[in-house]
Each structure stands twice: as structure tokens, then as C-alpha cells.
């Protein structure tokens, strides 16, 4: 894949993916299409902004004319679609924005890519990677794992909107033979994550000796995936994934929220008295856990960074890059 459209490439996972692809020697060209909402940060890409293989276009995935113009002006080999509203708390207070961006925006992109690639007469070599989340599966009990065949049962407006976009990507494959591929990842962490999410919020609050808010009893479990491992998985799917397939991407790192908070405090030398339990979030899923055996078996990918290493590297990054996150607060 030599000419790739990345939507939401100025966000957390998107920017890490752009940096990974530009610096891995693949020789690809990246067009980053991003509206630069609050979580899209051009500073994430300072290290590659002058690279001849990188270009940026500001725009909205819901803007049909702008998206069509983008495809008309470029011969994209692939689309990697990250752009989405993703903060669950915000979806509870304002669901409409999530439906508009995540569902309608995805449909606009699918249709533009379909028309562009059909006109070029070559869809077999193309790929549309729709980056989704394990949250579309709902919640698990104390045992079991999400597989690619687990029924979708989203419990928040955010996850419902992502499930809707997943189904559109699937429908375009089933109806039109469109080369869409869906990936569903577990919770990501690492550099450039906006400080509203659990790990960067706990790090930045602790550094300011502010209370660390923990929902409910803190025993909600998530499978944590280091963002650079996720980027390598998406590259693997981009190059070798089969059209119409779903691939779960997990980190094999199940952790309770409270254990992560305590680990961060210990690493920073801060007291656990900073922990403040707050009323639980509405519809808060109890446990997520990914079975990523399919992508390992069929494509040869598996995570390489364990949580203990990844979280320490992440803490070090936030300590070394205060200039990046302090202005976001």
C-alpha cells in the first residue's frame, strides 16, 4: 500500500500510526484528513510534518463534497479510518454528535471510496480498514473472551455508534463486494493520548497532586494494548488482511482500573490518599477481554509489549513531554 488516506490522523492512535508508517521505511505516502476537534492535535505530528511522504488536509468526514474532492484528487490504495468521537462520558451527555460523526461520517467515507475505486476499475488490491473497538461487544462476566463471532451488544451511545459504523462497513462488503476490513481493539495507552482518558488523566492529576477520580469500586477490568503494538497490527491487516473479515486486536493484559491507578502513583512516588472514588458511570461495562488468536493464527501478529514495560514507558513519556499536555489542560 503506497498511497494511504488516514482519517483522524492527528488523534491519539491515528498520529501514532502515521508516525509508525512514515518512519518504518515502507516508502508509503500518507494523507492525514482531520477536522482537528479538541482531541486532534497537530503537535502530535511535529516529528513528521516536513516529511515528503506526509501531507495534511483539514476536513470533516461528514462533508460529502469535501470527501469526494479528496478522493478525486488522490489515487488512494487504502483508507485507514480512525476518525471518531470516542469519549464514553461525552456520549452520555451528547449522543447525537457521536451518531453523526461515527455513523454518518463512516458512510460518507465508504461511499466516496466505493465510487472512486469503482471508477478506477480496481477494487481487489484496495483496502478500507475500519478501526473499531471491543466495546461494541458489550460486557463480560468474570470469565470468557470476546471473539470475532461474539454478538454485538453495545451499552453506551459511543459503543452503539461504533457498532453502527461496523455494520455499515460489513454491509458495503456484503452488498457491493467493497474491500472493507474491521479491526476491534482493546483499550490503548501510550504517547499522545488526550488527558481525558484513564491513564493520562491519572498521570497528569498525580503530577499536580490533584485527586484521582476512580469510578465505582475501581474493579472494572480492561485489556490494555500498547499503542505501538496496535499500529503494527493495523499495518499487518492493511497488508495481509482479507476483505470482509473482522480481526480482534488485544494486548493480553487484563487489569483492574484501581490496580493501574495504584501502579501509577507508586511509579510517581505519590500517596494513595489522592485516590477519590466517585459515583459509577451510567452503563459502565464491567469487563472487556479480547481473544486475539485469529490475527495471530492467520496473519502472524501478536503483542510484543507487556503492560509493566508499556506503562512505565508511558509515564516516562508524559514526564518528558509536559509541554505537550500542559497546554491541553
Amino acid at each position: 500500500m503506497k498511497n494511504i488516506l488516514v482519517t483522524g490522523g492527528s488523534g491519539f492512535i491515528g498520529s501514532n500510526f502515521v508516525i509508525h508508517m512514515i518512519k518504518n521505511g515502507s516508502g508509503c505516502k500518507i494523507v492525514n484528513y482531520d477536522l482537528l476537534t479538541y482531541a486532534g492535535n497537530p503537535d502530535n505530528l511535529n516529528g513528521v510534518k516536513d516529511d515528503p511522504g506526509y501531507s495534511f488536509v483539514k476536513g470533516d468526514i461528514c462533508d460529502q463534497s469535501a470527501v469526494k474532492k479528496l478522493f478525486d484528487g488522490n489515487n488512494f490504495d487504502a483508507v485507514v479510518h480512525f476518525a471518531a468521537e470516542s469519549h464514553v462520558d461525552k456520549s452520555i451527555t451528547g449522543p447525537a454528535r457521536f451518531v453523526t460523526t461515527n455513523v454518518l461520517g463512516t458512510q460518507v467515507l465508504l461511499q466516496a471510496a466505493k465510487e472512486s475505486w469503482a471508477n478506477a476499475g480496481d477494487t481487489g488490491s484496495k483496502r478500507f480498514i475500519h478501526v473499531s473497538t471491543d466495546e461494541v461487544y458489550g460486557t463480560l462476566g468474570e470469565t470468557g473472551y470476546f471473539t470475532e463471532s461474539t454478538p454485538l451488544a453495545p451499552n453506551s451511545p459511543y459503543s452503539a455508534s461504533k457498532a453502527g459504523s461496523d455494520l455499515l462497513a460489513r454491509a458495503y462488503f456484503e452488498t457491493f463486494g467493497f474491500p472493507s476490513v474491521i479491526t476491534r481493539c482493546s483499550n490503548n495507552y501510550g504517547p499522545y493520548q488526550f488527558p481525558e482518558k484513564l491513564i493520562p488523566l491519572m498521570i497528569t492529576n498525580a503530577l499536580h497532586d490533584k485527586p484521582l477520580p476512580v469510578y465505582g469500586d475501581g474493579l472494572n477490568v480492561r485489556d490494555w494494548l500498547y499503542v505501538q503494538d496496535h499500529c503494527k497490527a493495523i499495518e499487518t491487516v492493511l497488508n495481509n488482511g482479507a476483505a470482509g473479515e473482522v480481526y480482534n486486536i488485544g494486548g493480553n493484559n487484563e487489569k483492574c482500573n484501581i490496580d493501574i491507578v495504584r501502579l501509577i502513583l507508586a511509579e510517581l512516588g505519590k500517596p494513595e490518599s489522592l485516590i477519590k472514588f466517585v459515583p459509577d458511570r451510567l452503563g459502565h461495562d464491567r469487563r472487556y477481554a479480547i481473544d486475539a488468536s485469529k490475527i495471530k493464527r492467520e496473519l502472524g501478529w501478536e503483542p510484543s509489549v507487556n503492560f509493566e514495560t508499556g506503562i512505565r514507558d508511558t509515564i516516562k513519556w508524559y514526564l518528558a513531554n509536559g509541554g505537550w499536555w500542559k497546554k491541553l489542560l
Side-chain angles (χ1 to χ4, degrees):
M1 297 297 178
K2 295 300 182 184
N3 194 20
I4 304 170
L5 171 63
V6 176
T7 70
S10 297
F12 165 45
I13 306 175
S15 62
N16 275 280
F17 178 75
V18 170
I19 293 167
H20 169 73
M21 293 299 289
I22 292 294
K23 292 189 173 182
N24 72 357
S26 65
C28 67
K29 292 185 177 181
I30 300 284
V31 176
N32 171 18
Y33 186 70
D34 198 304
L35 187 58
L36 297 181
T37 58
Y38 76 96
N41 188 347
D43 289 349
N44 295 5
L45 294 159
N46 282 342
V48 299
K49 67 180 182 180
D50 296 323
D51 190 285
Y54 172 77
S55 61
F56 172 76
V57 177
K58 184 177 181 179
D60 186 348
I61 60 172
C62 297
D63 186 336
Q64 294 184 44
S65 61
V67 172
K68 183 180 185 303
K69 180 180 178 181
L70 185 67
F71 276 87
D72 288 345
N74 295 273
N75 182 25
F76 292 122
D77 297 303
V79 176
V80 182
H81 177 33
F82 294 101
E85 295 286 347
S86 64
H87 191 42
V88 177
D89 287 2
K90 285 184 168 62
S91 81
I92 293 171
T93 57
R97 183 175 174 183
F98 284 71
V99 174
T100 299
T101 300
N102 297 354
V103 181
L104 177 60
T106 298
Q107 189 276 325
V108 168
L109 285 165
L110 287 165
Q111 186 65 23
K114 172 181 171 293
E115 293 175 358
S116 174
W117 292 343
N119 291 338
D122 177 21
T123 59
S125 64
K126 308 292 189 181
R127 284 294 180 270
F128 186 108
I129 310 300
H130 176 61
V131 181
S132 189
T133 170
D134 59 0
E135 295 189 44
V136 300
Y137 295 125
T139 190
L140 288 167
E142 294 182 0
T143 60
Y145 297 89
F146 296 134
T147 70
E148 288 82 358
S149 60
T150 299
L152 305 188
N155 291 320
S156 71
Y158 160 63
S159 56
S161 69
K162 288 297 290 184
S165 62
D166 286 15
L167 294 176
L168 280 169
R170 179 184 185 277
Y172 267 66
F173 171 77
E174 295 291 341
T175 303
F176 306 115
F178 180 79
S180 56
V181 186
I182 299 167
T183 63
R184 295 181 180 136
C185 67
S186 55
N187 280 42
N188 279 221
Y189 68 102
Y192 300 112
Q193 189 169 27
F194 194 82
E196 67 188 0
K197 299 297 179 76
L198 177 71
I199 287 175
L201 177 65
M202 298 301 133
I203 294 171
T204 56
N205 275 20
L207 290 173
H208 285 103
D209 296 309
K210 294 173 60 177
L212 276 58
V214 176
Y215 280 129
D217 58 10
L219 298 180
N220 299 75
V221 175
R222 300 292 182 262
D223 174 23
W224 291 92
L225 173 67
Y226 195 55
V227 67
Q228 292 178 10
D229 272 338
H230 188 194
C231 294
K232 293 175 184 176
I234 294 172
E235 181 186 14
T236 299
V237 173
L238 180 65
N239 290 327
N240 302 307
E245 290 296 319
V246 177
Y247 297 97
N248 283 350
I249 303 172
N252 300 329
N253 286 304
E254 286 187 61
K255 301 289 181 183
C256 291
N257 288 348
I258 189 63
D259 292 337
I260 292 174
V261 174
R262 287 172 175 151
L263 188 157
I264 290 170
L265 288 170
E267 286 293 316
L268 294 174
K270 299 291 185 175
E272 291 190 8
S273 58
L274 289 175
I275 296 172
K276 179 183 179 182
F277 291 97
V278 298
D280 209 355
R281 182 169 67 201
L282 296 174
H284 198 180
D285 293 331
R286 190 62 169 175
R287 175 174 171 260
Y288 304 146
I290 282 276
D291 177 350
S293 59
K294 177 180 176 178
I295 191 173
K296 179 181 179 181
R297 180 178 66 252
E298 297 186 5
L299 304 183
W301 176 89
E302 60 183 328
S304 61
V305 180
N306 64 43
F307 186 78
E308 288 69 27
T309 299
I311 191 66
R312 290 188 175 94
D313 286 347
T314 300
I315 292 170
K316 290 176 183 177
W317 187 89
Y318 279 88
L319 286 170
N321 290 275
W324 177 86
W325 56 263
K326 286 179 181 177
K327 58 186 176 183
L328 299 179
L329 302 180

